[in-house]
Amino acid sequence: MVSAEREVRGPGPRPRGRAEVVAAAGPVVRASGLARPTVGQVVRVGPSRLLGEIIRLDGERATIQVYEETAGLRVGDPVEASDGPLCAWLGPGLLGATFDGLQRPLGALAERGRWTLGAGLEAPALDPARRWRFTPLREPGENLVPGDVLGAVAEGPFEHRILVPPGAPAGRLRRLTRGEFAAGDPIGEIESERGPGLLHLAHAWPVRTPRPVGDRLPVLDPLVTGQRVLDMLFPVARGGAAIIPGGFGTGKTVVEQTLARWSDADVVVYVGCGERGNEMAELLTEFAGLEDPRSGGPLLARTVLIANTSNMPVAAREASVALGMTIAEYFRDQGYGVALLADSTSRWAEALREISGRLEELPGEEGFPAYLGSRLAAFYERAGRVVPLGRPGRVGSLTVVGAISPPGGDFSEPVTQASLRLAGTLWALDTDLAHARHFPAIGWTGSYSLYVDALAAWYRARVGDDWEACRRDALGLLARERQLLEIVQLVGADALPDEDRIDLAAADLLREAFLQQHAFDPADAWRPPVDQLALLRTVLRARDGLQAGLRAGSTVETLSHSPPLAELRRARSWTGPNVAERLAALGEELVAPVADPPDHPADPPGKAVP
Amino acid sequence: MNLSVRRARGADRLAGSLLVLRRVADVALGEEVLVHGGDGRLRHGQVLELDESFVVVQVYEGTFGLDLEETVVELTGESFRLDVSTGLLGRTLDGRGRPIDGGPAPVGRRSLDVNGSAINPAARLGPSEPIETGITAIDLLATLVRGQKLPIFSGAGLPGDELAARIATGARIAGNDRFATVFAAVGITRREADLFRTAFAGAATLDRVALFLNLADDPAIERLLTPRCALTLGEYLAFELGMHVLVVLTDISAYAEALRELATAREEIPGRRGYPGYLYTDLARLFERAGRVRGRPGSLTLLPIVTMPDDDITHPIPDLTGYITEGQIVLSRELHDRGVFPPIDALPCLSRLMNAGIGAGRTRPEHRPLADQLYALYARGRDLRRLVVVIGEAALSPAERRILTFADRFEAELVGQGEHRRSLEESFELGWSLLADLPAEELTRIPLALLAERRATRRPRAERAGEPRSSSRRPPP
């Protein structure tokens, strides 16, 4: 860049053929002189080569959203066009890595001492120095179609299947080499009607284009989370979508992280979008040390982290969610069950709003662009249970869980409302529960799951044939409690008839012994569905026992202090292989008639009014 | 002296804090400008927007007194920078880092862009060690952890600033003397400024405090710079020099209003209550500068103070703050009216990083169960109080009355510590002593073994002290 040239050039016509900045405000830059620009095309802006994407064309003017800090940019700075849209690099090396919203390898950069993120940072997403042992599964001469599994790479305990890229033409395999390769190396050659083409260990895919699938299947089985309130009351199907709206302090992030830790997905893609840096640091440290109970390796080895924290450039925040989705689809196409956890979609929507504002688009509700709903739909509809393209035939699923941060905890705001239409499961976080330190603070009044009917067969076969009945009874008891509490607020618990006080005691038991779950207590943090149902069954039997005891002439005070009930309150932290049997035995004890007159203190510890 | 200084005479438009001029060559987005007015005054500004024809400059001091012909805009070619050094500790500076204490100009060791750079999330070090603030309600129930950002939600007339000053002067890190406080006061009154000056002058920590003061009648736009200056100094001390730095920002509401003023002047589409849609991002870029970095010994802990308009926690400013920060300390008007200082409402208080900073080797092994138990009982006590209003205290059982008494003592003794600074040791003893009167069956959050151990060692002492016993039917622990 010759500075003398710039000084003589004032505003006015400039030579054609050289693309340059003509206007800049925040992350939005306008440029002219680009040869045949395309909407969605990636460009490099200014001397630091800031990454940007063309979002609008107007005559020869291109409007660019720049993913990095634009301070220091000048009118007349060069703009360099790339040959395509924003792409994700997909191949071995994704698992265990941390990327920003533009897939720059934050972990690798940190290891090289880059502790701050400046403008124009460039680094390959997949480490070119790392080599992977590739085992071919196809022979030369075979005919291949897009999506076919070429072979596999062992990424720790994970079998990373290498696919013919979905955009590639079908053809005959000429060569496929066994050996050690870096992600960018060619591993073979394919002859198609377009001529010969190289096959690589990794391929690129545009993040805003959903990867094609062979067939979409109805949902069948749940994403087992090990969380009682989720698995038993409000399950989400593998291939389904769930949303978690909640005001601050209600534990959105803890729920998302619990899912990342405990859900039985093969691969977890965690997108920290516009959230806290310390949380990402905690997650990284913790996942590196935690063992994945299924593979025996560290939990981090099945996780891809995308960290675009709130202080990083806004436009990249918008891209981070699409990047995460593309990586998740890539693993789905290999035939795995993938969970995409996005925290928080509200920050992504705010990024949309900010860019929209800079473009001076007409605002919709609360300043969000009118296309908020369709963008959200495009996001959630990428979830699904599918037959991927290619052979061998396999089934993959992509489950999406999006956290939402509604302003003021008010669910009537646009992002929550638009997401409600799209998700099959709503886990509504409740501020009152959180203040009462009832965690997970998933409220049973607002939450729902539309997958219950679709999943019932799975639960009957794998967990217990009384799941639907228990679920219905539990929700019924909680609804009854809600009615009774309204009365208690007015007249006090003592004014209620004994039958109602028994219901209150049973509901309290359900909350404390079943719904609450301690995310940080190793014995309680994750429970298999069979144990979950056994506990729920026992809690419901306790209610029967209480009612029977009342009919037999005992008082509410005596009944609610029986030793087996106290034991049930601690049953959450029981461990071992025979928990279900022990719970069943306890259930029998609970419904057995109260034999002796109680020698317990008559001092009733008054049931709390929650 | 920067050689690329360029000058342009004449403006095209003056409105509020914005100055629009015909474009001069080679202007950079975000660069710092000096505006020489026809009135002889020097103003400062920043390039906000540029296109082929015009440059939009935001003038910190406002355009009052400027005219279209005589105004000269001087482009410095650089973004706003602060000269930082340990020499700023012990000094009082204005909102842009110039000394106003009559002392000599500090010698800068480094000149840093006040906007900073985002910390690589993968290079962050997870929080793990506590800061002892000397405030029991915080140390025991919502522990402040190094590298955390924990706001104080105050209200008009509530002593949020007093509490901030108490924490700033009373905070300790066990066995560490490389501790400094950077205090940024944004849009405060002279009365408040005096409060802070006095608080820091009296403390033994005077030479460890840097005070940035942007007064309420200083230019509103300058308020956008003040927290950035403070954080830039804080980052330098923490990440370059390895100190443990506490940065206090008061008042975020004044900061957000300045941001709104600017957004309105730029005719931007307003978001909730007229605040710009990017308020979250803007606040996050301040608050996320707190943290710890792998391989660097220091830490930057951030304590922003938010005055909730009309005590409304759902107002955009506290709401967005709460979404960014790692918990919150909430002050209660009711406690304040009853003369409790500090009037901390323990129920909505939360330190998200607490678990990482407490327990054996950090505070006390029993910290978590004790905190949970105190919290649970206090929450029940508060519920019972509501019930008492309806049905009267006589309708309560003896156990419920014990919990009511506990809630009263919790507020009066544990929260209401007055002016006295409490060590962690004192806070723990007090916490246990509040539980001494309650039967073991009420203490469900405390493991039985721990309770038995506590009761075995503490009970005789409690009896000697002749504390009132509300129940003689206490079952053996």
Side-chain angles (χ1 to χ4, degrees), chain B residues 60-108:
Chain B
Y60 297 134
E61 292 88 345
T63 53
F64 185 83
L66 290 180
D67 65 20
L68 294 180
E69 271 87 49
E70 295 293 311
T71 300
V72 174
V73 177
E74 186 181 319
L75 296 134
T76 64
E78 285 191 323
S79 57
F80 187 85
R81 301 179 91 81
L82 181 74
D83 294 337
V84 293
S85 71
T86 47
L88 293 183
L89 292 174
R91 302 298 302 271
T92 304
L93 310 149
D94 75 356
R96 261 182 290 159
R98 297 170 298 199
I100 49 170
D101 52 6
V107 180

Side-chain angles (χ1 to χ4, degrees), chain A residues 6-7 9-12 14 21-26 29 32 61 69-77 98 105-111 113-118 246-253 273-282 284-285 307-314 317 347 350 353-354 356-358 360-363 366-367 404-409 434-437 488-494 512 516 518 520 561 570 600-610, chain B residues 6 23-31 48-54 77 79 113 115 117-127 141 146-149 153 235 239-240 266 268-272 276-278 280-281 284-286 288-294 296 313-315 318-328 346-353 355-356 368 372 375 379-380 383-384 386-387 390-391 395-400 402-403 439 441-442 444-445 448 471 473 475:
Chain A
R6 188 178 278 159
E7 271 166 34
R9 190 185 58 236
R14 52 184 69 71
V21 173
V22 295
V29 168
S32 70
R61 286 284 179 93
E69 181 55 56
T70 51
L73 218 54
R74 293 154 202 269
V75 169
D77 274 350
T98 308
L106 295 176
L109 288 166
E111 273 162 35
R114 283 299 300 254
W115 68 276
T116 57
L117 300 170
F248 69 77
T250 51
K252 276 183 306 300
T253 301
C273 169
E275 289 289 312
R276 306 174 180 93
N278 277 336
E279 276 169 2
M280 296 310 291
E282 252 186 308
L284 268 174
T285 320
N308 214 93
T309 54
S310 54
N311 53 338
M312 287 157 75
V314 167
R317 193 194 291 170
R347 306 303 165 217
E350 281 165 17
R353 174 168 69 185
E354 187 167 340
S356 166
R358 304 271 186 192
E360 296 173 2
E361 293 173 338
L362 273 184
E366 292 198 18
I404 303 175
S405 320
H435 280 177
R437 295 293 199 263
V488 170
Q489 296 276 329
L490 296 174
V491 295
D494 286 344
E512 198 182 316
Q516 290 190 25
H518 205 307
F520 304 103
H561 286 87
R570 294 182 202 276
H600 237 262
D603 173 1
K607 289 266 59 69
V609 181
Chain B
R6 288 137 297 143
R23 199 171 78 79
V24 286
D26 220 21
V27 187
L29 202 59
E31 92 174 90
L48 275 189
E49 220 176 294
L50 29 103
D51 62 21
E52 286 164 303
S53 321
F54 295 102
S79 57
D113 181 343
N115 290 307
S117 296
I119 299 177
N120 179 350
R124 279 183 189 267
L125 187 61
L141 299 171
R146 284 181 230 171
Q148 185 175 18
K149 37 201 179 293
F153 287 171
E235 282 175 341
F239 303 133
E240 304 285 336
R266 295 174 67 181
E268 290 174 343
I269 296 163
R272 282 168 72 208
Y278 50 79
Y280 175 85
T281 304
R285 293 183 71 170
L286 297 181
E288 279 290 331
R289 291 171 79 169
R292 300 198 304 164
V293 174
R294 260 192 273 152
R296 286 164 194 268
I313 201 164
T314 67
H315 184 281
D319 188 47
L320 294 179
T321 300
Y323 274 121
I324 304 164
T325 54
E326 288 137 350
Q328 64 276 334
L347 292 191
C349 288
L350 172 71
S351 164
R352 289 167 192 264
L353 304 182
N355 283 340
R368 177 42 70 190
D372 282 350
Y375 185 95
R380 272 191 68 195
D383 277 337
L384 288 171
R386 277 212 302 272
L387 199 60
V390 182
I391 61 171
L396 296 185
S397 69
E400 286 169 331
R402 273 201 298 271
I403 291 171
E441 63 172 36
E442 292 290 348
T444 53
R445 307 288 176 123
L448 293 172
S471 166
R473 277 185 283 107

Side-chain angles (χ1 to χ4, degrees), chain A residues 17-56:
Chain A
R18 184 173 171 281
E20 57 183 30
V21 173
V22 295
V28 173
V29 168
R30 290 187 168 81
S32 70
L34 283 161
R36 292 185 51 206
T38 319
V39 173
Q41 188 180 9
V42 167
V43 292
R44 295 278 181 173
V45 180
S48 326
R49 305 188 75 240
L50 308 176
L51 196 65
E53 182 180 348
I54 297 177
I55 51 175
R56 185 188 276 183

Side-chain angles (χ1 to χ4, degrees), chain B residues 95-288:
Chain B
R96 261 182 290 159
R98 297 170 298 199
I100 49 170
D101 52 6
V107 180
R109 302 283 299 182
R110 294 275 300 277
S111 173
L112 298 174
D113 181 343
V114 297
N115 290 307
S117 296
I119 299 177
N120 179 350
R124 279 183 189 267
L125 187 61
S128 67
E129 289 146 303
I131 293 178
E132 186 188 314
T133 62
I135 309 286
T136 303
I138 297 176
D139 289 344
L140 215 51
L141 299 171
T143 311
L144 180 64
V145 179
R146 284 181 230 171
Q148 185 175 18
K149 37 201 179 293
L150 188 67
I152 297 173
F153 287 171
S154 182
L158 295 183
D161 287 336
E162 282 83 349
L163 179 59
R166 289 281 306 280
I167 293 173
T169 53
R172 307 257 191 288
I173 283 183
N176 197 305
D177 56 350
R178 292 181 63 74
F179 189 75
T181 302
V182 180
F183 205 100
V186 181
I188 58 163
T189 60
R190 268 163 228 289
R191 186 192 63 77
E192 290 161 327
D194 289 340
L195 174 107
F196 294 132
R197 280 207 194 94
T198 319
F200 296 129
T205 48
L206 174 65
D207 57 342
R208 296 202 210 158
V209 178
L211 187 57
F212 289 83
L213 290 179
N214 165 282
L215 296 178
D217 56 353
D218 283 340
I221 304 298
E222 190 185 279
R223 310 208 207 299
L224 303 184
L225 281 178
T226 309
R228 290 183 167 78
C229 288
L231 286 163
T232 302
L233 175 62
E235 282 175 341
Y236 170 75
L237 298 173
F239 303 133
E240 304 285 336
L241 303 185
M243 301 178 79
H244 294 288
V245 185
L246 180 69
V247 177
V248 182
L249 302 180
T250 181
D251 183 324
I252 294 302
S253 301
Y255 173 84
E257 270 157 35
L259 200 66
R260 176 168 67 179
E261 195 176 322
L262 175 68
T264 313
R266 295 174 67 181
E267 296 175 1
E268 290 174 343
I269 296 163
R272 282 168 72 208
R273 305 232 186 161
Y275 293 96
Y278 50 79
L279 180 61
Y280 175 85
T281 304
D282 192 276
L283 290 177
R285 293 183 71 170
L286 297 181
F287 297 164
E288 279 290 331

